[in-house]
Amino acid sequence: MELDLAGAELKAVLNRLRRAQGQVSGVIRMIEEGRDCEEVVTQLAAASRALDRAGFAIIATGLQQCLTDAGENGASPEDREVMRARLEKLFLSLA
């Protein structure tokens, strides 16, 4: 399964990943500075949400592409079911 993100979709995913990267760097710095536990956990939760949203965006795009490709290429019901199962597994890995 190959993922082809369009310009706007790619930009949104990359922005979320960069935000998460910055938040993780912030968490590391906060721990090194001995900052308050509640502040650290709050920032860590924000980074986790940013990663989850990026993952869900990628899966949603993959699902849309698979459905479109399956319809255009006349994929068999078995092939569509295999693809659905793979996407479901990916989705659940983020849950």
Side-chain angles (χ1 to χ4, degrees), residues 4-82:
D4 182 27
L5 292 175
E9 295 163 336
L10 178 62
K11 185 176 180 182
V13 169
L14 289 175
N15 284 341
R16 285 191 172 131
L17 291 173
R18 287 187 181 105
R19 185 177 311 123
Q21 183 179 32
Q23 289 167 326
V24 169
S25 294
V27 168
I28 292 169
R29 188 172 48 257
M30 292 170 78
I31 291 171
E32 291 173 343
E33 294 171 354
R35 298 274 293 272
D36 179 65
C37 179
E38 187 175 347
E39 292 176 26
V40 172
V41 171
T42 299
Q43 199 59 244
L44 191 58
S48 178
R49 283 190 305 274
L51 288 172
D52 286 345
R53 287 181 179 163
F56 287 132
I58 290 169
I59 290 172
T61 300
L63 178 60
Q64 182 180 11
Q65 286 178 5
C66 288
L67 292 174
T68 301
D69 291 349
E72 290 174 356
N73 297 332
S76 71
E78 294 83 17
D79 289 342
R80 287 194 300 263
E81 179 58 27
V82 168

